[in-house]
Amino acid sequence: MKKVSLLLPLILWYFSISGIAQTSAGLRGMVIDPSLREPVPFAAVSLYSQADSVLLDGMVTDEDGQFAFQSIQYGTYTIRVDFLGYTPLEMKNLSIDEDSPFLELGILELQTGAELLREVTVVSERELQQFGLDKKVFNVQKNLGLAGANALEALENIPSVTVDIDGNISLRGSANVRVLIDGKPSGLVGFDRRAILSQIPASTIERIEVMTTPSAKYDPEGTAGIINIITKPGGRKGFNLQGQLNAGTRNKYNGSVQLSYATNHWQFTTQYSGDYRERFSRNIQDRTNFFSDTTYSLYRAGKGLDIDDNQTVRLGLEFYLPGRQTLSANGTLRWEGEKENEDFYFEFSDEGSKLTNYSYRDALGVERGQTGEIELNYKKLFRTEDQNLTWSLRYSQGGQPRRDTLREDYYDLSDVLLSRSSQLSASDQNNRYLQLQGDYMHPIGDKHHLETGVRGSWQEMGNDFRVQNFDPISNTYIPSTTLTNNFQYDEKIAAAYGIIGGKWAKGDYEFGLRAEQTYTSSRLVTTGEAFENNYFSLFPSGSISWKKNDQQAFQLSLSRRINRPRSRALNPFSELSDTLNIRIGNPFLLPEYIYATELNYQFSSEKFTFQPALYFRYTTDLIQRFRYVREDGVQVSSWTNLDNAYTTGLEMVATYRPAKWWNINGNFNVYRTELNGSNIEADLTNAGYLFSGSLFSTWTIGKNWTIQSNGFYRSRGVTVQGTYSPIYSMDVALRRSVLRGKGSLTLRVSDIFDTRRFEFEAADATFDSYNYWKRESRIAFLNFTYSLRQEKRDRGEGGREGGDQGGMMDF
């Protein structure tokens, strides 16, 4: 069939060239993939003057791999053919004169090979990890352990990235990291990043990019850097289908299907995904409270069952217009459901550790929400290489109503019921986000370029929170005036940036500056309180690389970034599932700033790649959790600004292929953190080392079997008030290719030894506590994936390959 698919375009091409009178000077040819014996559409073909290497013209091949330059002057030329994933092809000394005014180049074969994109090393068969001096790329589809997983679980497998018990993401020990989807932010992040990421199936993710010192082009949000999740684009020309079903132990089911139809002029893509999972958890807290006149202890043991039921529909339409223009529209709708059922047992002891009384508490939370997002993108590619213009407009809106019921019974040591309390709470969250962004790149000569862009964004978030307490006298629920409130947050940002970059004798350079004006305001509607914080910031960035030879390169980079407090950290409402351990926000939080420096080295050979990086971060007004105990014995977990923090670290990432059937990927990260909270308390400081590492091993057995294991370890770490314990786990997976390569069956077991848990200790003058939290982590998943025409994707003129080109799936 592949031979027939190649033969027809060849016949048409032959008759087309034989029937045209060769009255003007020109040349033509046809580009194919020799391994697939198919044409390569949309490959970039450039025409250069042989004498001075000046670019004269350029185009892309049509859907049959053909190209033709006409009406060119007599002379000697060079042709260069480029396409992602293939080794560039050059043909020199192409002479056009009176005797030979029209050259027939015939069939040009592009060979699959190494691709260098900003010095990112890519081999023809994509490895699990790929290294670049400015970013690291992790190919999700190569990780068998993510069959049936979601985006949040995928991030747990990324080196130097950790996800805590609340779904908070940290990079190199810092929780202040920016998460993008297809190179762009989204207003839906303002709701609940954990909830949004948990709804994106890992099967729809192509790769994850980690940038620790991004350029001025990117939003400076996220002091630790940027995690960019690149979703799969639509298929190649024609009809494409990909679907997958997963079933896991203890009632976990999910699936997705993606359909697309593409022609040479447009593409339509639609996707549906659904996820239902039940997950149990256990937790323990052992806390002693110290007061001026007494001391008493509290022991808590809890168990819970969390049920998630989510559905997502996505639509995308993309047009390839004349003049190398692309116009696309994308839309996303999500229906979110969550039910949390928690049971707690409490023991209260006096100063002599003697039990005085105990209680049982039941907490039930039900959340149902709907969010939507639309996006318009425009891109213009000019004939000059590296000259392009993009515009994007994005709007999102959603609501998340939640209802909670809490009941607690208190008993004495004779099991006599002393009292009962009941509480109802309702929370209605809403979010709106609008963003307009434009970017332009212009080449300066052959080796340099200028980038500039503007962005404006507006975000509005609110939470109307109402509480009712049961009154046994009237036998009714009465509104609580002390807990009920309405919180509104508004943020506007205007930004502009400029970047100059290019090549020098032995490497690349890039220097940029971004300016931002931020206006923020938050209001406690019920009390009439208002808080404003408006500020102007400059964010310089720069990097310079030196390529010693084909195997070794160095890069030095510097940047300034920001972490703005979000609604969860600002919202002063209490989270009431445990009335003795509450969480509240701090509306007076300031943004934190970071100054980062990083030195990278890269060595690559045929079988081995190694990249160590030395990094240093200095942070001012560090945002961190802070716990204290009130006079009524309630522990409050909030947020505060610490004076500053220093982090110095070494990260090492490597791949090794000892044989064609065996591939090893490893990483190691060690850093020292010094925290200074003397602005809060005179002696509130802490320092310590932390190291983490993971090791992936992949074995390919024959043509159809693949086995993969992944081990992870993170050492003990420090916070400003205490320490958290080591975490370690191991995943295994087995994949079998079926249906002649169109399908696959994967069996995976996460945390096979059931060792993944979170423990931390915290203390100050008012309390000393030990905390343990365990979520179900040993899960067996069986996955079936089926794909039609999955071997080769469509190659669009608009350039759908890449993080900032725009994709169908964003959040």
Side-chain angles (χ1 to χ4, degrees):
M1 190 66 186
K2 290 183 178 179
K3 292 182 179 179
V4 174
S5 66
L6 177 62
L7 184 60
L8 183 59
L10 284 173
I11 294 174
L12 295 174
W13 174 66
Y14 172 78
F15 281 105
S16 68
I17 64 173
S18 60
I20 297 176
Q22 313 291 324
T23 56
S24 60
L27 54 86
R28 71 173 74 215
M30 182 178 182
V31 181
I32 72 166
D33 182 328
S35 63
L36 298 174
R37 303 307 301 168
E38 291 185 1
V40 179
F42 308 113
V45 185
S46 304
L47 177 69
Y48 294 89
S49 168
Q50 179 97 357
D52 51 14
S53 300
V54 173
L55 178 67
L56 302 175
D57 202 355
M59 64 178 59
V60 294
T61 57
D62 62 19
E63 59 183 357
D64 295 319
Q66 302 176 29
F67 67 92
F69 293 98
Q70 298 190 25
S71 301
I72 60 179
Q73 299 179 354
Y74 295 153
T76 304
Y77 299 94
T78 296
I79 285 286
R80 180 183 171 95
V81 183
D82 293 273
F83 191 73
L84 204 65
Y86 295 88
T87 301
L89 172 67
E90 281 193 358
M91 297 184 67
K92 297 184 177 182
N93 300 313
L94 302 176
S95 297
I96 298 178
D97 52 31
E98 243 182 297
D99 297 330
S100 303
F102 210 97
L103 293 182
E104 304 294 349
L105 302 180
I107 295 177
L108 309 182
E109 295 185 347
L110 277 185
Q111 301 294 331
T112 306
E115 173 225 349
L116 296 178
L117 177 60
R118 286 182 178 247
E119 301 299 330
V120 175
T121 303
V122 182
V123 295
S124 57
E125 178 187 356
R126 288 188 174 179
E127 303 290 352
L128 181 66
Q129 303 177 22
Q130 299 164 211
F131 307 126
L133 288 174
D134 63 336
K135 64 182 174 183
K136 298 177 180 66
V137 181
F138 305 92
N139 294 304
V140 171
Q141 295 306 299
K142 284 290 182 179
N143 189 342
L144 306 187
L146 295 179
N150 56 44
L152 197 63
E153 293 166 327
L155 290 175
E156 293 178 354
N157 288 264
I158 302 301
S160 300
V161 176
T162 57
V163 182
D164 70 9
I165 58 176
D166 298 316
N168 298 311
I169 302 166
S170 299
L171 175 61
R172 289 179 176 174
S174 173
N176 306 315
V177 57
R178 183 69 154 169
V179 177
L180 307 179
I181 302 292
D182 294 319
K184 299 170 185 175
S186 168
L188 300 185
V189 181
F191 258 141
D192 187 343
R193 184 164 68 183
R194 178 197 64 82
I196 298 298
L197 290 175
S198 64
Q199 294 175 50
I200 301 177
S203 60
T204 64
I205 301 174
E206 183 173 274
R207 65 185 186 273
I208 297 176
E209 302 173 344
V210 176
M211 294 172 278
T212 50
T213 53
S215 71
K217 178 179 180 179
Y218 293 94
D219 187 336
E221 184 77 23
T223 55
I226 290 175
I227 297 175
N228 189 18
I229 300 175
I230 306 297
T231 60
K232 290 181 178 178
R236 48 180 289 189
K237 288 203 317 296
F239 174 78
N240 301 269
L241 178 147
Q242 181 172 4
Q244 56 103 19
L245 293 171
N246 302 279
T249 52
R250 297 180 185 269
N251 297 324
K252 297 171 182 63
Y253 310 97
N254 64 72
S256 66
V257 60
Q258 178 173 306
L259 302 173
S260 69
Y261 185 81
T263 71
N264 193 34
H265 303 291
W266 59 273
Q267 173 177 273
F268 172 75
T269 308
T270 181
Q271 183 186 90
Y272 169 82
S273 63
D275 179 71
Y276 175 89
R277 63 179 64 199
E278 299 178 5
R279 205 167 184 180
F280 68 81
S281 62
R282 299 188 302 270
N283 63 84
I284 295 174
Q285 184 183 69
D286 192 356
R287 189 180 83 221
T288 301
N289 297 331
F290 306 105
F291 299 103
S292 58
D293 57 346
T294 186
T295 297
Y296 75 88
S297 299
L298 166 69
Y299 173 83
R300 183 196 70 196
K303 62 179 181 178
L305 179 65
D306 192 3
I307 301 175
D308 292 316
D309 184 6
N310 305 303
Q311 299 180 74
T312 303
V313 175
R314 299 179 177 89
L315 299 173
L317 189 59
E318 193 168 18
F319 296 95
Y320 313 121
L321 307 176
R324 309 181 78 184
Q325 301 177 91
T326 303
L327 182 65
S328 65
N330 310 306
T332 302
L333 270 178
R334 289 188 177 91
W335 294 268
E336 308 162 23
E338 183 178 17
K339 183 178 181 181
E340 295 177 306
N341 197 337
E342 295 180 292
D343 298 322
F344 296 98
Y345 168 72
F346 292 88
E347 289 183 352
F348 303 90
S349 302
D350 60 18
E351 190 171 0
S353 300
K354 182 180 179 181
L355 182 65
T356 58
N357 62 296
Y358 65 94
S359 69
Y360 290 101
R361 178 183 300 155
D362 297 323
L364 175 65
V366 178
E367 184 175 301
R368 285 286 175 185
Q370 181 175 317
T371 57
E373 185 169 71
I374 57 174
E375 179 189 7
L376 298 175
N377 292 293
Y378 169 79
K379 182 173 183 179
K380 165 70 175 177
L381 298 176
F382 297 88
R383 289 192 173 273
T384 305
E385 189 176 6
D386 290 335
Q387 185 181 6
N388 60 75
L389 171 69
T390 62
W391 284 97
S392 67
L393 177 66
R394 179 186 303 249
Y395 176 76
S396 63
Q397 181 175 335
Q400 287 182 321
R402 180 184 175 95
R403 302 296 181 261
D404 287 274
T405 303
L406 187 150
R407 191 185 76 172
E408 186 167 8
D409 295 334
Y410 295 88
Y411 296 87
D412 63 17
L413 297 184
S414 300
D415 300 328
V416 175
L417 179 64
L418 300 176
S419 63
R420 170 174 291 172
S421 64
S422 297
Q423 189 178 80
L424 302 177
S425 64
S427 172
D428 293 319
Q429 299 183 66
N430 60 80
N431 179 60
R432 288 190 293 171
Y433 180 80
L434 178 67
Q435 176 186 291
L436 176 64
Q437 180 170 335
D439 301 281
Y440 176 71
M441 176 182 283
H442 189 88
I444 304 174
D446 295 334
K447 296 183 178 181
H448 311 279
H449 66 268
L450 175 68
E451 291 183 70
T452 186
V454 295
R455 195 192 83 166
S457 66
W458 167 75
Q459 186 168 24
E460 182 183 74
M461 292 178 283
N463 186 356
D464 187 5
F465 187 67
R466 302 173 302 280
V467 179
Q468 293 177 304
N469 293 316
F470 182 74
D471 180 22
I473 299 177
S474 62
N475 200 33
T476 58
Y477 283 91
I478 299 175
S480 170
T481 57
T482 58
L483 295 176
T484 296
N485 214 322
N486 190 340
F487 178 76
Q488 301 291 325
Y489 176 76
D490 185 85
E491 177 185 272
K492 302 181 184 70
I493 301 175
Y497 75 89
I499 297 174
I500 183 73
K503 297 184 179 296
W504 60 289
K506 294 208 172 191
D508 300 325
Y509 73 92
E510 186 174 85
F511 298 99
L513 180 65
R514 186 182 185 95
E516 289 193 353
Q517 176 64 51
T518 303
Y519 303 92
T520 67
S521 65
S522 55
R523 292 179 296 123
L524 298 176
V525 179
T526 308
T527 62
E529 296 177 83
F531 314 90
E532 285 193 3
N533 188 17
N534 305 322
Y535 48 91
F536 176 79
S537 305
L538 292 175
F539 302 98
S541 65
S543 68
I544 185 167
S545 66
W546 174 54
K547 189 173 183 180
K548 183 178 180 181
N549 50 46
D550 291 338
Q551 291 186 320
Q552 300 181 76
F554 298 84
Q555 184 194 52
L556 177 65
S557 56
L558 303 95
S559 66
R560 184 179 192 245
R561 301 187 61 77
I562 189 174
N563 176 45
R564 300 181 181 91
R566 293 302 174 184
S567 61
R568 185 179 182 184
L570 294 169
N571 190 345
F573 295 126
S574 302
E575 194 278 316
L576 297 174
S577 62
D578 181 356
T579 54
L580 296 177
N581 296 273
I582 65 174
R583 300 178 182 181
I584 62 173
N586 177 5
F588 299 100
L589 277 180
L590 299 174
E592 66 178 35
Y593 290 91
I594 185 173
Y595 303 83
T597 303
E598 186 166 326
L599 176 63
N600 282 278
Y601 167 76
Q602 180 174 292
F603 172 84
S604 59
S605 64
E606 183 179 354
K607 291 187 175 183
F608 180 69
T609 304
F610 175 61
Q611 185 183 54
L614 283 170
Y615 59 91
F616 173 77
R617 296 196 303 257
Y618 171 67
T619 307
T620 60
D621 292 319
L622 175 70
I623 298 175
Q624 191 165 94
R625 282 189 185 275
F626 186 77
R627 297 174 175 87
Y628 60 93
V629 174
R630 300 188 317 209
E631 288 295 329
D632 59 1
V634 174
Q635 178 175 275
V636 178
S637 177
S638 185
W639 302 86
T640 191
N641 289 108
L642 302 186
D643 197 1
N644 55 60
Y646 297 87
T647 300
T648 305
L650 170 66
E651 181 183 59
M652 294 183 288
V653 186
T655 65
Y656 177 55
R657 185 183 287 271
K660 289 184 178 180
W661 49 270
W662 187 11
N663 191 33
I664 302 172
N665 297 266
N667 69 86
F668 177 79
N669 181 41
V670 57
Y671 61 88
R672 175 176 171 81
T673 298
E674 300 178 35
L675 305 172
N676 177 15
S678 56
N679 58 314
I680 307 297
E681 297 177 4
D683 58 349
L684 188 60
T685 60
N686 206 353
Y689 289 91
L690 182 142
F691 65 88
S692 63
S694 64
L695 184 67
F696 284 85
S697 186
T698 305
W699 299 269
T700 302
I701 303 173
K703 294 183 178 180
N704 297 320
W705 291 93
T706 305
I707 303 174
Q708 189 176 85
S709 67
N710 171 28
F712 166 80
Y713 179 83
R714 190 193 72 187
S715 73
R716 181 179 298 272
V718 299
T719 68
V720 72
Q721 290 181 293
T723 62
Y724 48 88
S725 299
I727 299 175
Y728 50 94
S729 62
M730 183 174 182
D731 305 338
V732 294
L734 173 67
R735 174 175 290 177
R736 160 75 176 177
S737 179
V738 297
L739 302 176
R740 298 183 179 180
K742 292 183 179 180
S744 65
L745 282 170
T746 303
L747 175 65
R748 76 172 177 101
V749 181
S750 62
D751 193 13
I752 191 170
F753 299 113
D754 200 25
T755 56
R756 194 173 184 91
R757 64 201 64 194
F758 299 87
E759 297 176 85
F760 68 91
E761 298 177 358
D764 73 357
T766 62
F767 75 95
D768 189 341
S769 70
Y770 163 80
N771 301 268
Y772 167 92
W773 200 90
K774 168 69 177 171
R775 176 184 288 165
E776 182 185 6
S777 56
R778 181 165 58 188
I779 305 170
F781 262 103
L782 181 63
N783 165 271
F784 172 69
T785 300
Y786 181 75
S787 182
L788 284 175
R789 303 182 70 182
Q790 64 179 355
E791 296 90 351
K792 199 167 84 175
R793 282 185 274 119
D794 188 15
R795 299 157 168 97
E797 182 178 333
R800 289 189 301 276
E801 184 83 28
D804 56 356
Q805 305 299 332
M808 194 208 74
M809 178 165 57
D810 301 292
F811 88 87

